[in-house]
Each structure stands twice: as C-alpha cells, then as structure tokens.
Amino acid sequence: MAGPAEVVADHSWPGTSTTVLRLRAPDGRQMILKTNTSSDSFRRELAALTGWAPALGASAPQLLDVDEDAQILLMTAVTGQPLQSLTLTARQERQAYERAGALLAHLHATAPRTVLPAFGAERAAYIRAQLADGTNPLTGSDLTVLDEALHLLEALPAQRAQPSHLDFTSRNILWDTRAKVGVIDFETSRYEAVGRDFLRITQRTLHRRPDLRTAFYQGYGREPERAESELMRICTVTDAAAIVVTATARRQHAFATEARSLLTAAVRAWPAPAPGTAISHVWRP
C-alpha cells in the first residue's frame, strides 16, 4: 500500500485497539498507516475519511489506500503537533482555539443534518447495559446521580444530528508553525446529536479557561444553544460514567483515571450547571 517507505515514528496509544505508524517515502513525503482491531472503529474512521475529510482538505487526513479485510488505512499526514504537547503564549493559545472552533464548524457542515428519533433512549440503554453484570466500579452517589441523568437522557425528544468527531480535544487538534490547525483520529466519529461534539473539549479545557472558551466559540461562529447545553449537562455525567466502566473493564487505566476525575467532579456539583455551560440542572419529578 505504501510502497518502499520506512517507519519513522510510532504514534500508537498504549492499551487501545489501534496501531498508528508514521511512514516516510523515498521522496520525503510522510504518510500515516493505521490499523484497528475494532471493526466498529475502523468502519467509523473509513466512513469519515471518505465522506467528510475531503471537504476539510489539508486540515484532516486524506485517504490514500485501504485494505478493508485487514482493517488498514493509509492516509496523508496532517502537519503540526497536538495542542496538548505544545507550550504556547496565551495569545497563540487563543488563536489556536479560535481556529479549532472554525474547523469544527466546517466539519459539522460537511453533510446535511438528519434526525435521531431515539437518541436518548438508545444511549441510555447502552450505558445501562454496561452496568448490568454488577462488576462496574460505580457505587453510592455515582449511581444515584447517574440514574437521575439517565432518566433525563431517556426523556429527551428526537435530536438533530450532524457529522461529529466526538473526540475533538487538544490531543487530536494539531497546530503548526504557520498557525495552521488540523484534526486527526476519526475512529469515534459518526452522525451524532448536535451539541455532543462540544462536550469533551469543554470538560478537558474550556471550562477551566474562559478565554479559550470565548475564542473557541468565536471561531465556531456562535455559542451553544439551550438544547445543546441541556444535552451537554446530562452527558457530562453519563459519558464519564460509561468511560469509567468500559475503560476499567479493558484495563485502559489512563482513560479510566481521566474519566473518574470528570465523573467525581460532576457528581459533587450535581445538580449545578455542567462545567462550561450556563444551564441549571432540572430535577426529574
């Protein structure tokens, strides 16, 4: 697939289903070879690379070749380094997050919106299934607050859906010396309820940095709407709980620890507004 290229770096995340290798061709061109043992993750990334990434140009990987039987993708390498690994001035950070917001808006507009009629019920059923065998690490107030959030999730009306990355964070946003922004790692991407794509970047960065939050939404072109903030506040609890359970079961300790921190903060604050939003929680009658 890659021809006579050499491996120059291994970008794989320990404890995950993926292997990510950076290759260099004889002419100096760099490529990314990615394999995934998870069929669902492979299919989601392939769909995003064929359907949405072309509209993003050099700001996203472009598919060069694919072996569907072996679940291997060969793609262009996006220039830059992950934002989380860079030391930038405050001004550079604001510029980076403003352009990241604009890039996310571009991704969301790469295909028409649709409707997920049973998003809340299906998402809640998925999370409840993770708890069913009694081996999950959640107890006490975790489960009390999660139950409240799941009932709110199940009561949601049909949700508008759009192309979504769903891991749009500083580890997947790249920034280069020419002040160009890019995004990688589309294995969680799919059509998803509007507002969910704001969640992870809010949890990990924006709620602690109001200046970056302002810059991000200036780049995006608008603030989250009330319905989007409502979804974010519910999913702050449900998503973190789901990751704690699944990452613990898979022995993905770094992901489990990160999610546990988010869940603990959300449980302590419940029913206060979710971090980064201005919408108060409403208790279920």
Side-chain angles (χ1 to χ4, degrees):
M1 294 169 67
E6 62 174 324
V7 177
V8 294
D10 187 340
H11 299 305
S12 308
W13 276 82
T16 69
S17 63
T18 60
T19 299
V20 183
L21 303 177
R22 181 178 293 268
L23 310 179
R24 183 170 58 219
D27 61 4
R29 180 170 49 101
Q30 297 202 354
M31 300 169 284
I32 299 295
L33 187 71
K34 184 171 185 178
T35 66
N36 204 319
T37 60
S38 165
S39 296
D40 289 341
S41 296
F42 171 78
R43 290 293 172 189
R44 285 192 294 264
E45 187 146 26
L46 177 58
L49 292 178
T50 55
W52 305 334
L56 303 180
S59 294
Q62 300 301 310
L63 188 65
L64 298 172
D65 204 350
V66 58
D67 184 332
E68 296 191 45
D69 292 333
Q71 298 187 169
I72 302 174
L73 298 165
L74 182 68
M75 64 193 88
T76 60
V78 180
T79 61
Q81 299 294 322
L83 272 178
Q84 72 172 13
S85 69
L86 298 175
T87 301
L88 304 175
T89 66
R91 180 178 178 277
Q92 288 173 323
E93 284 183 304
R94 289 192 294 271
Q95 184 183 37
Y97 276 84
E98 181 176 0
R99 294 187 181 179
L103 179 58
L104 187 61
H106 192 179
L107 170 62
H108 289 168
T110 54
R113 284 184 175 182
T114 184
V115 174
L116 298 176
F119 166 79
E122 290 174 355
R123 182 67 182 166
Y126 164 79
I127 295 171
R128 289 189 190 281
Q130 311 306 309
L131 312 177
D133 63 5
T135 63
N136 74 81
L138 306 181
T139 58
S141 57
D142 293 337
L143 291 173
T144 299
V145 172
L146 176 59
D147 181 67
E148 183 68 31
L150 286 171
H151 279 91
L152 291 170
L153 189 59
E154 290 168 328
L156 288 176
Q159 296 291 295
R160 298 169 299 157
Q162 63 190 5
S164 301
H165 186 277
L166 297 180
D167 197 11
F168 197 79
T169 63
S170 60
R171 65 184 172 216
N172 290 325
I173 300 170
L174 305 187
W175 184 249
D176 71 13
T177 55
R178 299 170 298 164
K180 299 288 186 180
V181 70
V183 61
I184 58 172
D185 193 3
F186 285 82
E187 65 181 45
T188 59
S189 63
R190 59 181 178 268
Y191 262 98
E192 183 65 306
V194 173
R196 276 288 302 284
D197 237 1
F198 298 144
L199 186 60
R200 288 196 177 181
I201 195 168
T202 295
Q203 289 175 328
R204 289 161 174 78
T205 305
L206 302 186
H207 79 94
R208 294 183 287 103
R209 291 287 302 275
D211 59 329
L212 298 185
R213 184 187 188 282
T214 297
F216 180 81
Y217 287 116
Q218 283 178 343
Y220 191 82
R222 64 173 178 82
E223 289 274 334
E225 297 173 358
R226 184 177 182 87
E228 294 169 325
S229 293
E230 170 72 1
L231 182 65
M232 288 169 65
R233 76 177 183 86
I234 295 171
C235 290
T236 294
V237 172
T238 60
D239 282 24
I243 295 171
V244 168
V245 172
T246 56
T248 300
R250 296 168 184 166
R251 301 180 184 270
Q252 296 172 339
H253 301 300
F255 291 127
T257 299
E258 180 183 54
R260 161 49 63 190
S261 176
L262 293 169
L263 179 61
T264 298
V267 168
R268 285 175 179 168
W270 187 272
T277 74
I279 306 300
S280 299
H281 287 285
V282 179
W283 285 92
R284 177 172 53 91

